[in-house]
């Protein structure tokens, strides 16, 4: 039996959609939203009907009959911490997406829109591996200050997808392998995957791990405290420095790794040093994950948009290839990753999980 699946991935200024028949792509669209359109709404949830209508319009313009769909799957939002996997959308999840139980993000709309379309058609609606996937060992959560614990917020969808891809290409299941996955995009997350669980990973949002094109990563806490109480910055400005205006953006006024490489190749010493520092920090984070896995590492996977840059991947390989073989899967095909999660449930290869 063939399955037709609608995939929805909302971003801050766009909504990506695709329709697949099994693994075959039927249509794909990136629906752009202007700042004027988005700016009319006071909250993420208030954008629901607008984005729902834009999707419906795009499908009609492509003459796609939604009544032929078997399921709808969407990128998960800022839910409560959950284990990885595919979840069937339920009322508890919808309520948490509406209020943004761990924060406001456009991805919160994905499950709400998917459920609305699926409910009308009486078909299943799913989310897959949202950024709040939390499978960390308890020992990884402890900090030196009681009451403050490390959180698992990372590029779970792509990290899990490439780890499963590596396992399949090597004739194994995800639950049989130990791999380290470094996702490098606007943010960088490096996860230790141990037999189907991400047992440790840096919080790619709140200042852990390597710096990236837009994020500061780890910085000395004493200096950060001084900044916070200097009177020069508001709370919102500090948060934006940590996530949005840090990394390459702070040092070189660009969040484009290609531009940084170009500057370095043209002899810009500052650009070269900053670039070297990022690859150094990514490599060091990979080394930390190797310790988490007791050195038993089947492979190290480099992925994300920055993994297209061989200058960066080669620099990282030079430092960490002694740990294990290094595999590069550049990019992040989130639409396909979401599809595969839905198909596994539709085909009975795994049961959808229940969000509580």
């Amino acid at each position: 039996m063939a399955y037709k699946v609608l995939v929805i991935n909302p971003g801050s200024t766009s909504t990506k959609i695709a329709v697949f028949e099994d693994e075959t792509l039927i249509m794909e669209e990136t629906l752009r939203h202007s700042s004027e359109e988005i700016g009319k709404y006071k909250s993420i949830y208030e954008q629901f009907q607008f984005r729902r209508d834009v999707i419906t319009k795009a499908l009609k313009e492509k003459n796609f009959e939604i009544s032929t769909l078997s399921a709808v799957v969407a990128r998960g939002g800022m839910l409560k911490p959950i284990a990885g996997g595919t979840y069937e959308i339920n009322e508890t999840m919808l309520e948490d997406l509406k209020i943004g139980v761990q924060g406001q993000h456009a991805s919160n709309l994905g499950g709400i829109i998917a459920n609305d379309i699926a409910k009308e058609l009486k078909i299943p609606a799913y989310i897959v591996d949202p950024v709040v996937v939390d499978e960390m060992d308890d020992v990884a959560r402890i900090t030196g200050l009681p009451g403050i614990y490390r959180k698992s917020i990372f590029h779970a969808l792509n990290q899990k997808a490439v780890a499963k891809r590596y396992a399949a290409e090597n004739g194994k299941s995800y639950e049989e392998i130990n791999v380290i996955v470094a996702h490098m995009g606007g943010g960088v997350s490096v996860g230790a995957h141990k037999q189907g669980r991400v047992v440790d990973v840096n919080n790619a949002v709140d200042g852990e791990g390597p710096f990236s094109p837009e994020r500061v990563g780890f910085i000395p806490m004493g200096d950060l405290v001084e900044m916070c109480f200097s009177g020069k910055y508001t709370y919102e400005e500090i948060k934006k420095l940590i996530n949005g205006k840090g990394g390459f953006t702070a040092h070189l006024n660009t969040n484009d790794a290609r531009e940084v490489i170009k500057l370095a190749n043209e002899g810009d010493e500052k650009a070269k040093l900053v670039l070297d520092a990022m690859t150094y920090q990514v490599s060091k984070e990979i080394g930390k994950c190797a310790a988490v896995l007791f050195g038993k590492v089947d492979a190290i996977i480099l992925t994300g948009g920055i993994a297209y840059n061989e200058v960066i991947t080669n620099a990282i390989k030079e430092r960490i290839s002694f740990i294990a073989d290094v595999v590069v899967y550049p990019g992040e095909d989130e639409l396909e990753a979401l599809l595969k999660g839905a198909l596994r449930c539709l085909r009975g290869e795994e049961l959808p999980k229940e969000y509580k």
Side-chain angles (χ1 to χ4, degrees):
M1 176 182 177
Y3 296 101
K4 285 185 181 178
V5 180
L6 170 63
V7 184
I8 303 170
N9 185 0
S12 56
T13 59
S14 67
T15 304
K16 294 180 181 178
I17 63 168
V19 177
F20 293 85
E21 183 164 2
D22 291 334
E23 285 83 1
T24 302
L25 179 66
I26 296 175
M27 64 162 282
E28 180 178 354
E29 291 285 324
T30 298
L31 310 171
R32 308 283 181 189
H33 314 309
S34 70
S35 55
E36 289 78 14
E37 289 174 314
I38 296 297
K40 293 187 295 186
Y41 303 100
K42 294 179 181 179
S43 69
I44 294 292
Y45 179 60
E46 286 182 10
Q47 298 175 27
F48 159 67
Q49 195 62 51
F50 161 70
R51 298 227 195 192
R52 165 67 153 97
D53 292 344
V54 168
I55 292 170
T56 303
K57 181 182 177 184
L59 293 171
K60 284 183 178 177
E61 287 176 349
K62 293 291 184 179
N63 295 314
F64 179 76
E65 180 50 64
I66 66 168
S67 63
T68 63
L69 287 172
S70 308
V72 188
V73 62
R75 182 182 175 194
M78 299 294 284
L79 296 160
K80 294 190 289 277
I82 55 176
T86 301
Y87 287 76
E88 191 157 9
I89 297 169
N90 59 23
E91 288 301 320
T92 303
M93 182 186 295
L94 289 172
E95 287 304 311
D96 283 353
L97 289 171
K98 288 174 184 177
I99 65 173
V101 70
Q102 280 209 81
Q104 294 296 326
H105 192 274
S107 59
N108 292 1
L109 291 168
I112 298 170
I113 297 170
N115 178 75
D116 195 65
I117 295 172
K119 188 175 181 180
E120 185 178 297
L121 300 172
K122 296 181 172 58
I123 57 176
Y126 305 109
I127 65 161
V128 183
D129 290 330
V131 295
V132 295
V133 164
D134 186 347
E135 301 166 336
M136 282 176 30
D137 286 338
D138 287 342
V139 70
R141 303 180 192 279
I142 302 298
T143 72
L145 194 61
I148 295 181
Y149 301 97
R150 295 183 60 234
K151 297 176 182 177
S152 176
I153 299 178
F154 70 111
H155 306 90
L157 183 61
N158 190 48
Q159 282 215 25
K160 291 268 188 180
V162 296
K164 289 173 182 176
R165 173 182 169 183
Y166 171 82
E169 289 178 358
N170 287 272
K172 296 181 180 180
S173 72
Y174 177 47
E175 291 71 24
E176 291 179 284
I177 61 170
N178 289 350
V179 293
I180 298 167
V181 181
H183 175 107
M184 300 178 290
V188 173
S189 63
V190 183
H193 296 238
K194 182 181 180 181
Q195 298 176 342
R197 292 172 50 235
V198 184
V199 295
D200 202 347
V201 64
N202 64 293
N203 182 333
V205 173
D206 283 342
E208 278 193 347
F211 72 80
S212 72
E214 297 178 347
R215 298 171 193 175
V216 298
F218 169 78
I219 55 177
M221 287 187 289
D223 294 331
L224 179 60
V225 171
E226 291 291 335
M227 284 182 66
C228 291
F229 287 89
S230 67
K232 297 177 181 178
Y233 304 94
T234 65
Y235 171 84
E236 290 75 17
E237 287 169 340
I238 290 287
K239 294 289 283 187
K240 195 63 178 177
L241 283 173
I242 290 172
N243 182 355
K245 292 186 176 180
F248 288 172
T249 303
H251 284 288
L252 302 165
N253 293 315
T254 179
N255 64 357
D256 191 334
R258 294 167 298 183
E259 178 64 21
V260 176
I261 291 170
K262 181 174 180 289
L263 289 170
N265 288 339
E266 291 173 350
D268 188 317
E269 291 298 323
K270 181 179 179 181
K272 184 179 186 308
L273 180 60
V274 170
L275 184 63
D276 288 347
M278 191 197 79
T279 61
Y280 172 87
Q281 290 190 11
V282 173
S283 302
K284 189 164 69 169
E285 197 72 19
I286 290 169
K288 289 161 67 175
C289 285
V292 169
L293 296 171
F294 294 91
K296 298 175 181 178
V297 183
D298 294 301
I300 298 163
I301 302 171
L302 305 181
T303 187
I306 290 179
Y308 283 109
N309 289 290
E310 290 188 3
V311 171
I312 289 174
T313 57
N314 287 340
I316 295 170
K317 285 180 184 179
E318 190 175 2
R319 287 188 181 275
I320 52 87
S321 58
F322 73 94
I323 298 171
D325 291 338
V326 182
V327 180
V328 181
Y329 293 142
E332 49 176 314
D333 194 340
E334 292 182 327
L335 295 176
E336 186 177 353
L338 291 168
L339 167 74
K340 288 180 177 178
L343 286 177
R344 286 192 295 270
C345 290
L346 291 170
R347 291 169 175 168
E349 297 168 4
E350 66 180 57
L351 291 173
K353 295 183 177 179
E354 182 184 1
Y355 180 80
K356 299 179 180 179

